Protein backbone atom coordinates (compact mmCIF):
# COMPACT_ATOMS: atom_id res chain seq x y z
CA UNK A 1 0.00 0.00 0.00
CA UNK A 2 1.36 3.44 -0.86
CA UNK A 3 2.04 6.13 1.70
CA UNK A 4 -0.53 8.89 2.08
CA UNK A 5 0.55 12.45 2.81
CA UNK A 6 -1.19 13.06 6.13
CA UNK A 7 -0.74 16.82 5.83
CA UNK A 8 -3.17 16.87 2.90
CA UNK A 9 -6.93 17.04 3.01
CA UNK A 10 -9.36 14.67 1.32
CA UNK A 11 -10.13 17.48 -1.12
CA UNK A 12 -6.44 17.74 -2.03
CA UNK A 13 -5.85 14.00 -2.27
CA UNK A 14 -8.94 13.40 -4.38
CA UNK A 15 -8.52 16.65 -6.33
CA UNK A 16 -12.17 17.37 -5.77
CA UNK A 17 -13.46 20.46 -3.97
CA UNK A 18 -17.10 20.31 -3.06
CA UNK A 19 -19.34 23.35 -3.25
CA UNK A 20 -20.85 24.60 -0.04
CA UNK A 21 -23.56 22.22 1.19
CA UNK A 22 -27.02 22.98 -0.11
CA UNK A 23 -28.65 20.77 2.50
CA UNK A 24 -28.44 22.13 6.04
CA UNK A 25 -28.18 18.94 8.07
CA UNK A 26 -25.50 18.82 10.74
CA UNK A 27 -24.07 15.63 9.21
CA UNK A 28 -23.74 17.15 5.73
CA UNK A 29 -22.12 20.27 7.15
CA UNK A 30 -19.73 18.18 9.29
CA UNK A 31 -18.68 15.99 6.33
CA UNK A 32 -17.97 19.07 4.22
CA UNK A 33 -15.79 20.51 7.00
CA UNK A 34 -13.93 17.24 7.52
CA UNK A 35 -13.02 17.05 3.83
CA UNK A 36 -11.10 20.33 4.30
CA UNK A 37 -9.17 19.13 7.39
CA UNK A 38 -5.67 17.60 7.02
CA UNK A 39 -5.74 13.85 7.58
CA UNK A 40 -3.31 14.17 10.49
CA UNK A 41 -5.95 16.21 12.34
CA UNK A 42 -8.78 13.69 11.96
CA UNK A 43 -9.69 12.04 15.25
CA UNK A 44 -11.58 8.80 15.92
CA UNK A 45 -14.95 10.55 15.72
CA UNK A 46 -14.07 12.19 12.40
CA UNK A 47 -13.02 8.82 10.95
CA UNK A 48 -16.18 7.19 12.32
CA UNK A 49 -18.38 9.80 10.66
CA UNK A 50 -16.66 9.70 7.27
CA UNK A 51 -16.35 5.90 7.13
CA UNK A 52 -19.94 5.61 8.30
CA UNK A 53 -20.90 7.63 5.24
CA UNK A 54 -18.79 5.26 3.09
CA UNK A 55 -16.62 8.21 2.08
CA UNK A 56 -13.03 8.14 0.82
CA UNK A 57 -12.61 4.60 2.11
CA UNK A 58 -9.36 3.91 0.28
CA UNK A 59 -7.76 6.81 2.14
CA UNK A 60 -9.53 6.57 5.51
CA UNK A 61 -9.76 2.85 6.20
CA UNK A 62 -5.98 2.38 6.46
CA UNK A 63 -5.89 5.21 9.03
CA UNK A 64 -8.73 3.70 11.05
CA UNK A 65 -7.32 0.18 10.84
CA UNK A 66 -3.94 1.35 12.08
CA UNK A 67 -5.66 2.70 15.20
CA UNK A 68 -7.91 -0.34 15.60
CA UNK A 69 -5.08 -2.85 15.36
CA UNK A 70 -3.59 -1.15 18.44
CA UNK A 71 -6.94 -1.06 20.23
CA UNK A 72 -10.14 -2.44 18.64
CA UNK A 73 -12.27 -0.54 21.15
CA UNK A 74 -11.11 2.90 20.03
CA UNK A 75 -14.08 5.16 20.05
CA UNK A 76 -15.55 8.28 18.62
CA UNK A 77 -18.30 10.08 20.49
CA UNK A 78 -21.11 7.50 20.41
CA UNK A 79 -19.98 4.43 22.35
CA UNK A 80 -16.97 2.23 23.05
CA UNK A 81 -15.93 0.53 19.83
CA UNK A 82 -18.01 2.74 17.53
CA UNK A 83 -15.08 3.29 15.13
CA UNK A 84 -14.70 -0.48 14.72
CA UNK A 85 -18.46 -0.84 14.17
CA UNK A 86 -18.31 1.81 11.47
CA UNK A 87 -15.55 -0.14 9.69
CA UNK A 88 -17.53 -3.39 10.01
CA UNK A 89 -20.49 -1.74 8.25
CA UNK A 90 -18.51 -1.05 5.06
CA UNK A 91 -20.22 -2.64 2.07
CA UNK A 92 -19.30 -6.23 1.20
CA UNK A 93 -18.39 -5.24 -2.37
CA UNK A 94 -15.69 -2.90 -1.11
CA UNK A 95 -13.95 -5.71 0.75
CA UNK A 96 -14.08 -7.95 -2.34
CA UNK A 97 -12.12 -5.33 -4.26
CA UNK A 98 -9.72 -4.46 -1.40
CA UNK A 99 -8.57 -7.81 -0.03
CA UNK A 100 -5.46 -6.36 1.64
CA UNK A 101 -7.62 -4.06 3.76
CA UNK A 102 -10.06 -6.91 4.45
CA UNK A 103 -7.12 -8.92 5.81
CA UNK A 104 -6.37 -6.03 8.17
CA UNK A 105 -9.99 -5.99 9.35
CA UNK A 106 -9.74 -9.72 9.97
CA UNK A 107 -6.61 -9.03 12.06
CA UNK A 108 -8.48 -6.44 14.12
CA UNK A 109 -11.29 -8.95 14.66
CA UNK A 110 -8.75 -11.55 15.81
CA UNK A 111 -7.15 -9.05 18.20
CA UNK A 112 -10.56 -8.16 19.62
CA UNK A 113 -11.60 -11.79 20.04
CA UNK A 114 -8.35 -12.68 21.81
CA UNK A 115 -8.71 -9.73 24.18
CA UNK A 116 -12.36 -10.55 24.81
CA UNK A 117 -11.48 -14.16 25.65
CA UNK A 118 -8.78 -13.09 28.08
CA UNK A 119 -11.05 -10.55 29.76
CA UNK A 120 -13.95 -12.97 30.05
CA UNK A 121 -11.66 -15.49 31.72
CA UNK A 122 -10.48 -12.89 34.27
CA UNK A 123 -14.02 -11.64 34.88
CA UNK A 124 -15.22 -15.20 35.50
CA UNK A 125 -12.37 -15.80 37.96
CA UNK A 126 -13.04 -12.47 39.70
CA UNK A 127 -16.73 -13.27 40.08
CA UNK A 128 -16.01 -16.77 41.37
CA UNK A 129 -13.51 -15.44 43.91
CA UNK A 130 -15.67 -12.55 45.12
CA UNK A 131 -19.15 -14.00 45.35
Amino acid sequence: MHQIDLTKTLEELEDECWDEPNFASSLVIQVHKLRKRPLCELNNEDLRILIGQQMSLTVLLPLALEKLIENPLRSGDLYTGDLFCSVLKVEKEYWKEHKELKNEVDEVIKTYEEARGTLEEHIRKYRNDHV
Side-chain angles (χ1 to χ4, degrees):
M1 201 173 305
H2 68 283
Q3 287 289 77
I4 297 171
D5 184 348
L6 299 178
T7 64
K8 294 194 178 224
T9 67
L10 288 173
E11 285 189 345
E12 292 170 327
L13 290 169
E14 296 172 348
D15 196 26
E16 185 179 339
C17 292
W18 291 3
D19 293 332
E20 288 302 312
N22 58 5
F23 185 71
S25 84
S26 60
L27 179 60
V28 170
I29 292 167
Q30 181 72 8
V31 166
H32 274 74
K33 285 180 184 176
L34 292 175
R35 287 187 50 79
K36 297 177 185 308
R37 188 175 296 165
L39 296 180
C40 61
E41 294 179 13
L42 296 178
N43 62 30
N44 293 343
E45 176 66 3
D46 301 333
L47 291 170
R48 182 195 67 77
I49 289 169
L50 291 166
I51 292 169
Q53 295 302 304
Q54 308 289 305
M55 304 206 52
S56 307
L57 295 176
T58 304
V59 174
L60 299 174
L61 280 173
L63 301 178
L65 290 168
E66 187 176 312
K67 293 173 177 257
L68 292 171
I69 285 170
E70 291 175 11
N71 178 0
L73 297 179
R74 292 242 182 173
S75 304
D77 294 345
L78 289 180
Y79 52 86
T80 302
D82 61 2
L83 177 57
F84 191 14
C85 290
S86 187
V87 169
L88 293 171
K89 291 176 185 175
V90 169
E91 306 272 330
K92 182 173 158 179
E93 286 69 34
Y94 183 87
W95 299 122
K96 286 180 184 177
E97 295 175 18
H98 298 87
K99 294 194 185 311
E100 186 176 320
L101 287 174
K102 183 191 177 302
N103 290 340
E104 289 186 43
V105 172
D106 292 342
E107 189 63 33
V108 174
I109 291 170
K110 181 180 170 189
T111 300
Y112 168 76
E113 289 175 333
E114 288 171 356
R116 183 185 70 202
T118 300
L119 284 168
E120 286 175 353
E121 180 182 323
H122 286 277
I123 290 168
R124 218 175 2 264
K125 182 171 178 1
Y126 169 84
R127 286 182 174 155
N128 287 338
D129 292 347
H130 296 87
V131 173

